[in-house]
Structure formats: C-alpha cells, structure tokens
Amino acid sequence: MGKSPEEEHPVKAFGWAARDTSGVLSPFKFTRRETGDEDVRFKVLYCGICHSDLHCVKNEWGNSTYPMVPGHEIVGVVTEVGCKVQKFKVGDKVGVGCMVGACHSCDSCENNLENYCPKMLLTYNSPYYDGTNTYGGYSDHMVTSERYVVRIPDSLPLDAAAPLLCAGITTYSPLRYYGLDKPGMNVGVVGLGGLGHVAVKFAKAFGTKVTVISTSLRKKQEAIEQLGADSFLVSTDPDQMQAAMGTLDGIIDTVSATHPLLPLLGLLKCNGKLVLLGVPEKPFELPAFPLILGRKMVGGSGIGGMKETQEMIDFAAEHNVTPFIEVVPVDYLNTAMQRLAKADVKYRFVLDIGNTLKAD
C-alpha cells in the first residue's frame, strides 16, 4: 500500500518553467515526491536542451500542460536511494532520459521496449501515477524509479553524456535494430544537426562507411574533418545524386523539415532501409514503385528501451562517442532556445545546472 496524503512529505524543488505558449522560461518553485522504496534521488548537474523541448514549451504538438519544466537529457549524482534499490548507491553518476514510467506488463515492456509501451510516461509534461504532472531536468534534482535510471561510466564526461540520453539512443537504436551496424556497410546520414552528428559518430564507431547527405556544401568540411565521415553528398546536386544511386545499405534520416523521400530511396541498394527519425509538419509522399522494384524498406524508430539505453551509454564510453556540445548557464536558457530555433548551435546545448541554477 502507498502512503496516505497525510504521510507524504514532498521535497522542495527549484527549476525553470514555461508558463504559456510564448515559450519563455523563468524561475519556478515546486515540489517533488519523497524518495520511495524503489526510487533514486539525484542532484542534477547537467541537462541537455533537446529540440523537442522547444516544440513542447510552445505547444507546437498541441499536448502541452503548464507550468512545464522541460528537460529529458539529465545527468547528476545520487543523493538518496530507497530501501529496495539494488543497482545504485549514494555518489553514483546517473542519468535519466525521455521516460520515467510504463505498464511493465505489455509485450513491449516484456521485451525491454518500454519506449513503445502504450502507457509510457514521459519525463516531463506527462500525468504521473499520483495525478501530478511530471517535471523534467531544468531543475535542481530529480527523483525517479531506479528502473528508469542509467549508470554513467566514469570515463564519460557528464556534460557530454547528457545529450546521449535522447540524441544518442535515438540514433543508436535504429542502427542496431535495422542491422546497419556491421563493419564495412555503407550508411547514409541525412542532416548534420543534433541527431545527425551523433548518428555519424555511432555509425563510424560500428565500423561502417558513412556518407553525410545534406542540402548544402557548407557542412562538408566539418562532416569529414571533424566527424570522420567518409564522403559527403549534396542532395540538391543531380549529378552527385545520380552518381551515388544504389550505393547505400541504409540511411538514417534525421531531418524534421519537409523533404522528398524519392531521391533518398534511389540511393539505396536492393534491400536497403530508409529509417525516419525526424517528424516533418506535413506527411511524406511515399511512392510505391521504388520500394517494390528494389525490395526496399521505409521504417521509423523512437528512442529505445532502458536495457538498450544502458548498452548505448556503455558503448559510447568504450568507443569515446560524445556529442559536440555548447555548455551554457541557466540564465542563458531563453537565448539558447532562440538560437536552437534558428539551428544556431553545434550541435547540442547543455545547461550547467549544478554550477549556475540559483534558487531565489
């Protein structure tokens, strides 16, 4: 049995919240539940700013509830554990990603795919079991069931580890699931932003040959020299696209802007796979003939289960896969959001919560 309301002792918390669709965030005092038997409480040190945070604070997906404390790329140090917690102890470096709950009984949950559970609870902007709304990592501390906490290896810098909890697992999982993780394979990555640059890093760590596909030549130097891509393809150049027809085993498409799929399908070999990670405002046009004539596949993927998320973090630590980040203080948050809206960041903002979040 749970505790009655009279027995609950909520813990004071402080963070930054959006109050309305303007998307402007400001200091916010609230409470978190006390540490339950299976809970891990940790001091937040860093929290990544994901593009979905920007969509949510402005209610661009139509499901936002205010006040909203965003943030689902959260890392820190454990300060308290419940009496039944087995995997973590005080002082451990930990992280929480996009989800904090699921039903634990459906087919997805039983196959370690809590991310596809119909009852998955998001880390923020989601009604929790106790009727409250979940608050994310733009805050001083978190309390989460140990089932949704991952261990951060000592060899992984905490600030750079934060975006892996969303961008990392979002790109690692489809590379694994769709079999695009075999050395020597030819893998394309569309878009060189927050997701795309991490996809390039993981694909290279798997030993594949990576082609970055972009609308502009201006990102060629950073793709090849900084990220280690093997080749660069300008999608608006018909000659380049024609020359690359039928050369790729798979493509990870990270772009959220509306764009045609037909040219990308042409780049695939027979049995090739085009995996969509971005969410454009308008539905894609999907021609059937290119799929039929080459037995090609168009699929999707969304984050990953907790077992795979831990696997991804451990792989990243072992292979030195870290995103390019710009660490900013909390009072820079609204400016960072404005810059993110203009894609003016290489490639992920990370909030320095531990050093710069000050309670009034």
Side-chain angles (χ1 to χ4, degrees):
M1 289 181 59
K3 295 184 179 181
S4 68
E6 292 77 17
E7 295 176 291
E8 291 284 358
H9 300 287
V11 179
K12 291 181 180 180
F14 180 75
W16 278 51
R19 300 332 204 272
D20 53 45
T21 57
S22 70
V24 175
L25 294 105
S26 56
F28 176 60
K29 293 179 180 178
F30 60 104
T31 60
R32 294 199 183 277
R33 68 178 185 271
E34 64 177 325
T35 307
D37 291 349
E38 298 177 357
D39 284 341
V40 173
R41 186 179 301 275
F42 65 95
K43 174 181 171 59
V44 177
L45 297 181
Y46 297 98
C47 185
I49 301 177
C50 179
H51 209 282
S52 59
D53 298 346
L54 185 61
H55 290 296
C56 287
V57 297
K58 295 186 175 184
N59 195 29
E60 291 178 349
W61 291 336
N63 64 347
S64 297
T65 302
Y66 302 97
M68 178 194 301
V69 179
H72 59 205
E73 303 176 348
I74 316 160
V75 295
V77 176
V78 176
T79 57
E80 187 180 18
V81 296
C83 61
K84 294 183 180 178
V85 170
Q86 297 180 332
K87 296 189 294 184
F88 303 100
K89 65 182 187 304
V90 172
D92 285 349
K93 297 174 184 176
V94 296
V96 167
C98 301
M99 57 184 169
V100 293
C103 78
H104 306 156
S105 59
C106 67
D107 285 346
S108 293
C109 285
E110 290 180 356
N111 285 288
N112 297 307
L113 294 169
E114 302 93 340
N115 51 311
Y116 297 124
C117 173
K119 297 181 179 179
M120 178 187 71
L121 298 181
L122 298 172
T123 302
Y124 70 89
N125 194 44
S126 193
Y128 199 64
Y129 303 116
D130 59 7
T132 63
N133 239 30
T134 55
Y135 290 133
Y138 295 7
S139 58
D140 58 352
H141 75 275
M142 292 286 295
V143 57
T144 310
S145 165
E146 77 165 327
R147 183 173 183 141
Y148 297 93
V149 179
V150 296
R151 182 180 305 280
I152 308 295
D154 289 336
S155 59
L156 205 55
L158 279 181
D159 53 2
L164 292 175
L165 295 166
C166 177
I169 187 60
T170 297
T171 52
Y172 177 95
S173 184
L175 286 166
R176 284 290 204 201
Y177 176 77
Y178 289 100
L180 303 176
D181 57 350
K182 310 297 187 294
M185 287 185 113
N186 292 291
V187 175
V189 174
V190 185
L192 200 61
L195 283 179
H197 91 288
V198 179
V200 172
K201 288 196 166 200
F202 273 123
K204 286 298 295 181
F206 289 136
T208 70
K209 296 177 181 177
V210 179
T211 298
V212 170
I213 305 164
S214 180
T215 56
S216 169
L217 191 62
R218 62 186 172 84
K219 291 187 176 182
K220 179 176 181 179
Q221 184 174 358
E222 60 198 74
I224 292 176
E225 295 182 6
Q226 297 179 33
L227 293 169
D230 298 279
S231 57
F232 189 90
L233 192 55
V234 179
S235 59
T236 53
D237 185 323
D239 292 338
Q240 287 192 28
M241 294 293 283
Q242 182 63 36
M245 292 276 282
T247 61
L248 300 177
D249 295 291
I251 297 173
I252 301 294
D253 185 348
T254 70
V255 174
S256 289
T258 302
H259 60 287
L261 297 185
L262 183 59
L264 299 177
L265 292 171
L267 299 175
L268 293 172
K269 298 177 182 178
C270 184
N271 301 321
K273 300 160 187 173
L274 172 59
V275 186
L276 307 177
L277 305 184
V279 187
E281 291 182 11
K282 298 179 181 179
F284 283 113
E285 290 187 12
L286 185 59
F289 268 118
L291 303 181
I292 295 169
L293 298 178
R295 199 163 66 176
K296 298 174 183 179
M297 176 190 298
V298 177
S301 186
I303 57 172
M306 294 312 302
K307 180 180 179 182
E308 188 174 43
T309 300
Q310 185 67 64
E311 175 190 300
M312 176 275 303
I313 285 286
D314 293 340
F315 181 92
E318 182 181 350
H319 295 271
N320 194 30
V321 176
T322 55
F324 291 161
I325 60 172
E326 182 178 337
V327 179
V328 297
V330 175
D331 61 10
Y332 190 78
L333 177 51
N334 288 306
T335 303
M337 285 287 195
Q338 293 169 4
R339 286 180 54 194
L340 181 59
K342 297 182 289 187
D344 178 23
V345 57
K346 291 185 179 177
Y347 283 96
R348 303 289 285 203
F349 282 118
V350 174
L351 292 171
D352 184 354
I353 301 286
N355 290 314
T356 68
L357 179 65
K358 309 298 181 187
D360 287 344

